Structure formats: structure tokens, C-alpha cells
Amino acid sequence: MGKFTYENIPQELRSLKQWGLFQLKWVKERNKNTKIPIDPYNGRAGKSNDPSTWSDFNTALKALDKIERADGLAFYFANGYVGLDIDHIQDDLIDWNEGDNSSDNLINKFKALTNDTYMEVSQSDTGIHCIFKGEIPGKRRRKGNFEMYQTGRFFALTGNNISYPQVKTLTKNQM
């Protein structure tokens, strides 16, 4: 797991009261970690559908040092913010880090598709998260290793940004 650089998270996101914490928990049956949301005010269960368990960025950041089981910061989706999660593209990430500028590289492809919105390497170091403003087109939220969220979910943010840290607004035609 890479080092988190929370100061790289865009100020626009940091100014929102959509923050919490998460705990990584190994699920043997699925052979992978799951992320459990934590309320930064009291260390109890956070809820992606209950803003009373969310805080401002600074409260969550301070709670990260105080709540022992917390592994990082969580950003909850609401108020027009959309998350695009792309998993299992570590080869493209490695190539991109080594200077691959080709349009075939998925990092470059998603930078172009999302108008170079805020993008970061995911907590697993094997995927990326993109955050933008807009609406999810259609009804499908998952296709293969791509998922999109606008409510009821959160991202474990790292601040390990790939693109200029600015959240862009995308229209349905752009997605």
C-alpha cells in the first residue's frame, strides 16, 4: 500500500462535509480486503447513507490519528459528486509512471474521458479513482472492473494524484 498524501486532495473536496474514516478488514471467503466505514466523531460505524456520521476534512484527518483501527480517510458521495473506480490496471499504472503517453494506456484514456478531472491511485496501488461532478448516465453502476457511484458509497482516498488536482464537471455526453 502506497503512502497517503492527503494534502494533494483538491481543496474543493476538502471543503465538503463528506468525510469519514475506513478500516481495512480481510475477508477470507473473498480473498481480499473490504473497507469498513468509521464515524470520525466517535469511532463507531460510519454509514454511506447517513451524513450524520460524516465530518469535515480536518475532523476526519485528526480522528485518523486518534482512532486506532482507522486505516485512512473516506470520501462519501453526495451533492453531485461522482466517483469512477477502475480496478486491476496495475500494468497500465506502471507503464504510465514510466512515461507511457499512448492513448491505449488506460490512465491516459480515462484522463481524456474525464476531462483530466481529479484522479488518484487507489489504496490498493492497482487501480485508479476519478472524482468529478455530474450524474451517472443510465442505470448500470458496474461493468467489468469499472464502477461508478454518486450516492450510498465512499472511496478510500489516498491523495496520490495522477492528474492536476481539480474536480471537473462532466455532462452526460462526456461520460
Side-chain angles (χ1 to χ4, degrees):
M1 190 164 48
K3 179 180 171 272
F4 296 160
T5 50
Y6 294 129
E7 66 274 4
N8 291 341
I9 294 172
Q11 186 59 46
E12 177 179 346
L13 297 179
R14 289 191 278 163
S15 70
L16 299 170
K17 193 178 177 196
Q18 294 176 209
W19 292 93
L21 304 171
F22 73 90
Q23 174 187 11
L24 284 176
K25 190 170 185 179
W26 183 255
V27 180
K28 186 177 176 182
E29 300 79 29
R30 296 176 65 198
N31 198 34
K32 68 180 214 171
N33 279 316
T34 191
K35 296 170 198 87
I36 310 296
I38 301 171
D39 182 330
Y41 292 117
N42 55 30
R44 294 189 190 120
K47 297 179 183 171
S48 56
N49 61 355
D50 182 359
S52 73
T53 67
W54 309 351
S55 74
D56 62 273
F57 179 84
N58 288 331
T59 298
L61 194 59
K62 288 175 188 168
L64 185 56
D65 290 332
K66 295 177 184 169
I67 299 174
E68 193 173 312
R69 68 185 179 102
D71 292 308
L73 292 182
F75 177 78
Y76 292 101
F77 290 101
N79 303 310
Y81 289 88
V82 177
L84 172 61
D85 184 14
I86 302 125
D87 293 324
H88 311 297
I89 58 168
Q90 53 269 40
D91 291 342
D92 288 274
L93 273 168
I94 291 167
D95 292 347
W96 183 83
N97 276 319
E98 293 175 354
D100 182 353
N101 295 332
S102 76
S103 60
D104 291 335
N105 182 292
L106 289 175
I107 307 305
N108 296 319
K109 191 171 283 198
F110 279 103
K111 284 179 74 166
L113 286 170
T114 62
N115 197 22
D116 207 21
T117 193
Y118 178 69
M119 183 183 296
E120 66 172 36
V121 178
S122 63
Q123 169 271 321
S124 68
D125 284 333
T126 63
I128 57 174
H129 290 151
C130 306
I131 298 177
F132 52 90
K133 291 186 279 188
E135 282 186 41
I136 294 175
K139 296 182 184 206
R140 293 190 68 185
R141 302 293 180 257
R142 179 187 298 241
K143 184 172 184 175
N145 58 337
F146 309 137
E147 296 177 73
M148 292 181 83
Y149 310 114
Q150 67 185 32
T151 59
R153 297 297 291 258
F154 71 90
F155 274 171
L157 290 190
T158 66
N160 297 335
N161 60 315
I162 289 173
S163 63
Y164 183 74
Q166 184 177 354
V167 177
K168 304 286 179 80
T169 300
L170 302 180
T171 64
K172 286 184 180 184
N173 294 338
Q174 290 174 293
M175 290 185 262

